Amino acid sequence: MELLVTGGRGQSGRWVLDRLAADHDVTCLDRTNPGPDAGHSDVAYRALDLTDTGSVLDIVTELNPDAVVHWAAIPVAGTRPGVDVYQNNTLAAHNVLTAAGRVDAQVVQASSDGAYGFFFADETPVPDRLPIPESHPLRPEDPYGLSKVVTEEIGQTVARRDGVSVTSIRPSWIQEPGDYPCRDPDYVENLDAGAGNFWSYVDARDVAELVAAALDSPHHGHEAVNCVGPDNALGRSLPELMREQYGRLPDDCAVEGDAAAFSVAKAKRLFGWEPSHSWREASEGELESPEV
């Protein structure tokens, strides 16, 4: 396919870009282009501001892709003023997805487990269910989580209005091979550090594989899917961790052992995807990051 990938020069976007360039013709849209003799050898680059509606519409209609992977965003709360995070993420998503719908392009976009509202809540709530399904209520209290809820609503609008397939992927904390901060002593020895997302994580390679799988299996309308690793980052019994940190489990609890807190059953059903990288091997491995 002819693909447009936004944010392909970012920390997790580079893994997505590299994976897709192996099978498709890819153009990367980002704020800046790589320098001379830099960047991915199989990728074309265009620099633009994704919050500029005219620029986005111009380039998407010019290139007329089969699919758009929208991965660009300010990726976390607390790094910039909240209004900047919200405005950037929602306006960029509106521009990119609206343009994709106009050229009848399939869409896969980055959402986040931040949409559930656990991590940045003043007091992290115990989820209604474990494992947490995509149907769990979304209750963000922060601008980043709210921006992801809105981008999913934009996806639903575009899918409904333009009849294109839109998939919103909700990764948990993305780790790179050999660089797993979820295994740093300050994290592992302090339950509070990972309690906001119930010690969940996902390897960047598994994220990229889910993006590729979603592109290979278009569906009708909009679907959101969780994207987490096969276990929790502490390697301990999740029910025991929940009792130790929160004093209780939800009444609807079906997790055992060192399971992840988020269900990936929907991604398996729709796209045949399951995570294949655990911190047990990936945190110590050495693998060079893809070129950006």
Side-chain angles (χ1 to χ4, degrees):
M1 290 190 289
E2 297 283 345
L3 302 183
L4 292 184
V5 178
T6 73
R9 303 190 67 205
Q11 186 171 5
S12 64
R14 69 184 67 186
W15 294 92
V16 173
L17 189 75
D18 185 66
R19 171 64 182 84
L20 298 180
D23 296 330
H24 305 285
D25 295 325
V26 178
T27 299
C28 175
L29 309 182
D30 219 316
R31 284 188 175 274
T32 60
N33 289 327
D37 302 319
H40 195 293
S41 60
D42 296 324
V43 173
Y45 292 87
R46 297 285 191 96
L48 77 162
D49 179 355
L50 295 174
T51 65
D52 185 320
T53 306
S55 295
V56 173
L57 182 61
D58 179 62
I59 201 164
V60 173
T61 54
E62 174 195 342
L63 297 178
N64 193 24
D66 300 303
V68 173
V69 176
H70 178 46
W71 213 255
I74 297 175
V76 68
T79 59
R80 303 189 191 184
V83 66
D84 293 352
V85 173
Y86 177 81
Q87 185 175 36
N88 177 86
N89 292 357
T90 56
L91 184 54
H94 181 271
N95 291 343
V96 172
L97 271 64
T98 297
R102 289 190 178 182
V103 299
D104 197 31
Q106 177 189 356
V107 175
V108 177
Q109 70 168 340
S111 184
S112 170
D113 65 348
Y116 293 107
F118 299 120
F119 197 88
F120 295 106
D122 286 343
E123 295 185 9
T124 302
V126 172
D128 297 357
R129 296 174 58 187
L130 280 174
I132 300 162
E134 290 82 357
S135 58
H136 191 286
L138 307 180
R139 301 164 176 150
E141 298 178 8
D142 64 284
Y144 173 73
L146 180 59
S147 78
K148 291 303 181 180
V149 173
V150 174
T151 61
E152 290 192 17
E153 288 292 335
I154 293 168
Q156 292 188 48
T157 297
V158 169
R160 182 169 54 246
R161 181 185 63 216
D162 299 314
V164 297
S165 169
V166 180
T167 304
S168 296
I169 295 177
R170 297 174 181 170
S172 196
W173 188 15
I174 300 175
Q175 315 286 302
E176 295 188 83
D179 183 16
Y180 263 55
C182 69
R183 292 300 300 168
D184 291 347
D186 289 345
Y187 181 93
V188 174
E189 297 169 8
N190 177 15
L191 286 190
D192 288 342
N197 72 340
F198 314 110
W199 310 280
S200 299
Y201 72 97
V202 65
D203 190 282
R205 292 167 293 180
D206 283 330
V207 176
E209 287 297 333
L210 180 51
V211 173
L215 287 170
D216 288 342
S217 303
H219 50 78
H220 178 72
H222 172 267
E223 298 286 354
V225 292
N226 292 331
C227 181
V228 300
D231 47 18
N232 67 67
L234 302 188
R236 292 178 51 189
S237 164
L238 184 62
E240 290 181 7
L241 288 170
M242 294 294 295
R243 291 190 183 97
E244 185 174 343
Q245 180 70 19
Y246 298 106
R248 69 180 184 89
L249 294 169
D251 293 336
D252 188 350
C253 181
V255 295
E256 298 178 351
D258 64 347
F262 294 85
S263 171
V264 296
K266 185 176 180 181
K268 181 179 181 180
R269 173 172 55 84
L270 289 179
F271 308 124
W273 176 90
E274 290 183 282
S276 59
H277 298 284
S278 167
W279 62 265
R280 287 175 167 83
E281 45 88 14
S283 60
E284 301 296 333
E286 294 185 6
L287 187 64
E288 187 174 348
S289 295
E291 293 293 328
V292 297

